C-alpha cells in the first residue's frame, strides 16, 4: 500500500501540514524537522532516493587568481545561502580545483550525487572548461559564465553593456584619451568588458589606442607592483583609465599616487564590482555596482525551477545589470 502524507504524519509525529510543507520546501519548517521528514519519506518509499533536497554550490578554480583574491564573491554566496534556506533546501559548498590530478573524478562524483542539484560558480572558467559539465545527470546552472553553445542555463553579469556605460560616463566628462587597465588572466567577463569599452569609443568615433593599454596582475598587490614597473618607464599616459575590476583599479591608483600622479586631477580611473573598500579609498573610486547577492538568489531560483520541472524545455541566460556608483575618481575636463 502506498504511503500517504497522513501516514508520514503518524510516523514522524508532525502534523500533515508540516509534513507537506517540508516535502514541498515551503518556509516555516526548521532544518531538523525537515531532515527527519525526508529521512522517513525515503525509508518508506514515499520519496525515491534521488529526490533533490540539497543544493550544492561548486566553486570552480582554474588558478585561484580571481576567486581567492577578491571579497566580491562573499555577498554572492550569502544571497545563495539565503535563497536555499528560504526555499527549504540544504546548502553545501564544494571546491573543484582544475590543477588537482583527480579533478575530473571530483566533478563526476559531485554531478552524480543522489538528491543534489548543482550551481557551478564558473568565474575562472576559460573556453573548453565547461566540457565536464555538459549533459549533466542532475539539474545544473552555471553562475558568472556562459556557453556559446547555449545548452546550459546560466546567470551572469551584463559585462559589455556595463563597461560601455561607465566608459561613456568618462567620455561625457570630456576625456578623449581613455586607456585600459587590462587584467592579465583573461576570464570571459574581462573579455566582455573590453568589448564594451571598445564599443563606447567607437560610438564617439574615438580610436582604441594600444599604447594606452596596461596589462596588470589581478590581485591588488600584483596590479600595484606591475603598474609601478610600467610607470618607471615614464610612459605618456591617457587622461583616464577603465579598469577590468576594482582590485586592478585600486592597485594601479596606489602606484600612480606613489609616483606623484594626482587622482583624478592628473589621471582619472573607473573600476568594476564596487568592492566595499572602493568607497573608502582615497579618493573614493567611481565604479560599477554588481547586484551579486541577487545573482546568487537568481541562480538558486532557476535551479529550483529545473528541479521542479518548470521551464526544462527552455535554456535561459539571465544577465544582471550593474549600476554606476559615482564617486571621486573622474575629473570633469575643462
Amino acid at each position: 500500500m502506498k504511503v500517504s502524507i497522513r501516514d508520514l504524519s503518524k510516523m514522524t509525529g508532525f502534523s500533515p501540514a508540516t509534513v507537506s510543507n517540508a516535502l514541498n520546501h515551503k518556509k516555516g519548517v526548521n532544518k531538523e524537522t525537515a531532515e527527519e521528514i525526508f529521512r522517513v519519506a525515503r525509508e518508506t518509499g514515499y520519496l525515491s532516493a534521488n529526490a533533490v533536497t540539497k543544493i550544492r554550490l561548486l566553486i570552480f578554480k582554474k588558478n585561484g587568481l580571481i576567486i581567492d583574491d577578491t571579497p566580491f564573491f562573499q555577498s554572492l554566496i550569502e544571497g545563495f545561502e539565503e535563497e536555499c534556506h528560504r526555499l527549504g533546501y540544504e546548502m553545501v559548498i564544494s571546491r573543484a580545483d582544475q590543477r588537482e590530478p583527480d579533478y575530473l573524478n571530483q566533478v563526476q562524483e559531485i554531478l552524480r550525487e543522489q538528491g543534489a542539484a548543482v550551481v557551478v560558480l564558473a568565474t575562472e572558467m576559460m573556453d573548453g572548461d565547461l566540457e565536464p559539465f555538459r549533459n549533466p545527470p542532475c539539474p545544473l546552472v552555471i553562475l558568472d559564465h556562459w556557453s556559446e553553445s547555449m545548452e546550459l542555463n546560466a546567470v551572469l553579469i551584463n559585462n559589455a553593456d556595463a563597461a560601455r556605460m561607465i566608459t561613456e560616463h568618462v567620455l561625457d566628462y570630456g576625456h578623449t584619451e581613455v586607456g585600459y587597465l587590462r587584467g592579465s588572466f583573461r576570464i570571459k567577463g574581462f573579455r566582455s568588458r573590453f568589448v564594451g569599452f571598445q564599443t563606447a569609443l567607437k560610438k564617439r568615433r574615438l580610436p582604441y589606442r594600444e599604447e594606452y593599454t596596461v596589462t596588470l596582475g589581478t590581485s591588488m598587490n600584483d596590479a600595484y607592483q606591475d603598474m609601478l614597473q610600467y610607470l618607471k618607464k615614464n610612459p605618456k599616459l591617457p587622461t583616464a583609465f577603465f579598469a577590468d575590476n576594482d582590485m586592478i583599479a585600486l592597485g594601479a591608483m596606489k602606484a600612480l599616487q606613489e609616483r606623484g600622479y594626482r587622482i583624478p586631477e592628473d589621471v582619472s580611473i573607473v573600476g568594476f564590482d564596487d568592492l566595499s573598500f572602493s568607497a573608502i579609498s582615497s579618493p573614493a573610486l567611481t565604479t560599477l555596482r554588481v547586484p551579486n547577492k541577487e545573482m546568487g538568489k537568481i541562480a538558486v531560483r532557476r535551479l529550483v525551477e529545473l528541479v521542479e520541472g518548470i521551464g526544462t524545455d527552455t535554456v535561459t541566460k539571465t544577465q544582471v545589470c550593474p549600476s554606476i556608483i559615482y564617486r571621486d575618481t573622474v575629473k570633469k575636463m575643462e
Side-chain angles (χ1 to χ4, degrees):
M1 182 183 295
K2 187 175 180 181
V3 177
S4 67
I5 293 283
R6 192 166 295 278
D7 293 329
L8 292 176
S9 172
K10 291 176 182 176
M11 292 175 194
T12 60
F14 301 112
S15 71
T18 298
V19 172
S20 177
N21 286 342
L23 294 174
N24 288 286
H25 304 285
K26 297 286 181 66
K27 291 189 289 184
V29 182
N30 68 47
K31 181 181 177 182
E32 291 76 17
T33 298
E35 286 176 351
E36 174 64 11
I37 290 168
F38 272 103
R39 183 187 66 78
V40 174
R42 285 200 189 90
E43 288 179 355
T44 58
Y46 183 88
L47 284 180
S48 63
N50 61 356
V52 173
T53 60
K54 178 192 302 180
I55 293 178
R56 186 177 292 277
L57 177 63
L58 177 60
I59 300 174
F60 169 87
K61 283 189 181 183
K62 193 169 189 75
N63 50 31
L65 291 175
I66 304 295
I67 292 290
D68 289 347
D69 287 320
T70 173
F72 173 87
F73 298 100
Q74 187 56 45
S75 58
L76 183 150
I77 293 170
E78 286 173 7
F80 190 97
E81 186 173 21
E82 284 179 15
E83 199 67 2
C84 285
H85 181 72
R86 185 182 75 82
L87 295 172
Y89 287 85
E90 179 187 355
M91 175 193 169
V92 180
I93 298 178
S94 301
R95 287 165 178 79
D97 193 322
Q98 199 179 51
R99 296 165 294 184
E100 295 179 0
D102 63 340
Y103 162 74
L104 290 176
N105 288 333
Q106 289 179 37
V107 169
Q108 288 306 310
E109 283 182 14
I110 287 169
L111 296 182
R112 290 181 184 139
E113 181 185 8
Q114 288 190 336
V118 177
V119 171
V120 183
L121 180 55
T123 306
E124 291 193 352
M125 279 192 179
M126 308 292 278
D127 294 337
D129 291 337
L130 270 175
E131 196 59 39
F133 299 92
R134 298 190 192 281
N135 303 309
C138 66
L140 183 138
V141 170
I142 301 296
L143 182 57
D144 204 23
H145 190 78
W146 68 99
S147 165
E148 279 83 359
S149 60
M150 296 188 289
E151 63 190 287
L152 294 166
N153 290 276
V155 177
L156 58 142
I157 301 165
N158 188 340
N159 288 292
D161 286 336
R164 172 193 50 76
M165 186 169 65
I166 200 165
T167 304
E168 287 178 346
H169 164 62
V170 173
L171 300 176
D172 288 342
Y173 268 42
H175 295 269
T176 57
E177 294 184 335
V178 184
Y180 176 42
L181 299 179
R182 176 184 184 273
S184 57
F185 177 33
R186 300 308 293 159
I187 60 172
K188 187 167 276 190
F190 287 176
R191 285 181 277 154
S192 187
R193 291 171 195 182
F194 179 52
V195 169
F197 168 73
Q198 288 180 303
T199 299
L201 296 178
K202 287 175 184 173
K203 283 178 68 177
R204 304 295 177 93
R205 293 191 167 92
L206 293 170
Y208 164 64
R209 297 178 59 173
E210 188 75 42
E211 66 268 30
Y212 290 157
T213 295
V214 189
T215 299
L216 305 176
T218 53
S219 73
M220 197 181 301
N221 186 60
D222 285 349
Y224 161 70
Q225 295 291 347
D226 291 345
M227 193 69 178
L228 271 183
Q229 290 303 311
Y230 176 76
L231 293 173
K232 285 178 181 177
K233 303 170 188 174
N234 294 314
K236 182 179 185 302
L237 297 180
T239 61
F241 280 110
F242 164 73
D244 268 334
N245 66 12
D246 285 5
M247 300 286 279
I248 294 168
L250 293 168
M253 278 174 56
K254 184 172 184 239
L256 283 161
Q257 289 169 324
E258 281 192 13
R259 295 287 295 181
Y261 293 93
R262 298 168 302 158
I263 298 171
E265 292 83 1
D266 300 324
V267 184
S268 295
I269 295 183
V270 294
F272 200 119
D273 286 343
D274 191 31
L275 301 181
S276 56
F277 35 74
S278 297
I280 58 173
S281 63
S282 183
L285 180 66
T286 295
T287 185
L288 286 155
R289 177 172 294 165
V290 178
N292 43 4
K293 192 170 186 179
E294 188 58 29
M295 272 182 73
K297 292 183 177 184
I298 291 170
V300 172
R301 291 198 290 268
R302 180 55 184 144
L303 190 66
V304 170
E305 286 181 347
L306 299 177
V307 168
E308 296 178 351
I310 300 169
T312 53
D313 56 347
T314 303
V315 177
T316 62
K317 174 183 174 183
T318 304
Q319 296 191 85
V320 299
C321 298
S323 54
I324 299 178
I325 304 301
Y326 301 97
R327 295 197 180 106
D328 306 322
T329 54
V330 181
K331 175 187 175 183
K332 196 154 194 171
M333 305 295 280
E334 297 295 332

